[in-house]
Amino acid sequence: MNKLEILQEKARGIVLGVSNNPQGRYQLRYEFYQKYGDPLTKGNEGLGNSELAFIDWEIRRGTLNPINSSHPGSPWWREVNSHFLYVATLAQLIKESGETFHDLPVPVNFWLDYINTPNECSWYRAHNSSIISGYQVADKLGHKESIYEQYFMNIILYRLLFAQSMVEGVSFGILGKIFANPRGCAVAFITRIKAFYPDHYPMSKKDIKYVTHRARNFMGLVEDIFDTLLILPHLDKLYTEAAKWNNSPIVMKFAKNNQPIYPISQSEFSSAHFNKKLTTKKFPIS
């Protein structure tokens, strides 16, 4: 094996070692930010705060649990997270080896940029290109999830790219800047709001009402305004811009006519078909 192949094999081994240990996945990223982010000590927010808060939510929800556990995790969520861990870990190993390699995957190059110049913009490009790449890798697994979980995958992605848009120069006022800052505690706060981020896997009936924007309460209204009025009318443009920021043209295939259509590996999933499957479902109001 050449030097790059040795590092790739080492990165795969590290990720495999924490595959069935959700807290181990978290710890791997925590240790990364201890080296390559602001210190994550109490009262000193770091660039990894929002990522770590999201992984903590994934753990609480159970999506990263081992498949053969009494409460099995999600093959799709586990795969996206594992791919994310791999590209970031590989970048770290390359940096610490002192070697220079050409033709590296896009997310690996962005993580190297972040390590060399840590700031909000370099973090979002490293993080979001990794997530987009993970969505592509796990596309077929997405079809094994419920239609509600599939729709929620889209919500997660467009909220993330919307947050990046504010750092990339699109302004939505002071509230947007607060929620877009990866150093802050906004993600830790919002992932505790069940209307935005369900805490059950698979989803409960109540979770489904929120995810499909059919909750008839105040928080449901807030979520509906945030997603359907603030983001979705501009989804095609958002994904086109995100493809440029993150050098990830595949993301443009995840939306059509301002509607999300991930997963994409089955041609039947046009935007009209996807939304028809949601709108024809019957949801309890109480």
Side-chain angles (χ1 to χ4, degrees), residues 4 30 46-47 49 62 77 89 124-125 159 161 168 182 196 270:
L4 178 58
Y30 179 85
L47 282 163
N49 275 8
W77 284 92
T89 300
Y124 264 111
R125 293 184 179 191
R159 287 176 182 170
L161 298 178
E168 295 285 353
F196 280 82
S270 67

Side-chain angles (χ1 to χ4, degrees), residues 25-241:
R25 291 173 182 257
Y26 179 97
Q27 187 66 23
L28 185 61
R29 296 306 293 152
Y30 179 85
E31 291 173 358
F32 173 88
Y33 286 111
Q34 288 294 296
K35 288 185 176 181
Y36 302 113
D38 296 338
L40 299 183
T41 54
K42 187 176 181 179
N44 191 354
E45 297 164 340
L47 282 163
N49 275 8
S50 60
E51 179 191 321
L52 292 172
F54 190 85
I55 296 175
D56 183 62
W57 167 76
E58 290 179 286
I59 293 172
R60 295 196 313 272
R61 191 180 177 220
T63 57
L64 301 181
N65 287 351
I67 298 302
N68 60 356
S69 69
S70 58
H71 182 185
S74 158
W76 184 87
W77 284 92
R78 283 168 51 88
E79 180 66 16
V80 173
N81 181 262
S82 291
H83 181 78
F84 181 95
L85 295 180
Y86 169 72
V87 293
T89 300
L90 178 58
Q92 179 179 351
L93 293 176
I94 290 172
K95 174 64 177 180
E96 294 173 357
S97 75
E99 300 285 346
T100 300
F101 302 102
H102 300 289
D103 300 321
L104 291 170
V106 166
V108 175
N109 278 324
F110 273 129
W111 278 115
L112 288 169
D113 290 343
Y114 165 78
I115 290 170
N116 291 325
T117 311
N119 56 50
E120 286 84 354
C121 184
S122 64
W123 180 84
Y124 264 111
R125 293 184 179 191
H127 181 276
N128 288 9
S129 65
S130 301
I131 294 297
I132 293 169
S133 180
Y135 270 55
Q136 183 179 9
V137 167
D139 183 68
K140 290 183 180 179
L141 289 175
H143 289 284
K144 298 180 180 180
E145 300 284 348
S146 72
I147 187 66
Y148 312 112
E149 195 71 33
Q150 290 178 35
Y151 196 67
F152 185 55
M153 297 169 191
N154 287 277
I155 292 174
I156 291 292
L157 183 61
Y158 66 60
R159 287 176 182 170
L160 181 61
L161 298 178
F162 177 74
Q164 182 181 11
S165 73
M166 292 175 251
V167 172
E168 295 285 353
V170 180
S171 175
F172 291 91
I174 187 63
L175 184 61
K177 292 180 179 179
I178 291 172
F179 277 89
N181 184 3
R183 298 174 185 270
C185 60
V187 173
F189 172 75
I190 199 170
T191 52
R192 295 280 179 177
I193 302 176
K194 296 178 183 179
F196 280 82
Y197 292 90
D199 60 357
H200 298 89
Y201 179 83
M203 292 183 190
S204 68
K205 290 183 178 180
K206 187 174 182 180
D207 293 335
I208 290 170
K209 287 197 295 183
Y210 281 120
V211 166
T212 57
H213 301 103
R214 287 170 169 80
R216 302 294 186 262
N217 56 31
F218 175 74
M219 287 310 304
L221 177 62
V222 172
E223 184 200 29
D224 196 41
I225 291 172
F226 185 80
D227 286 336
T228 63
L229 296 184
L230 195 58
I231 302 178
L232 287 174
H234 313 287
L235 197 66
D236 288 347
K237 180 179 179 181
L238 174 63
Y239 280 24
T240 298
E241 293 301 314

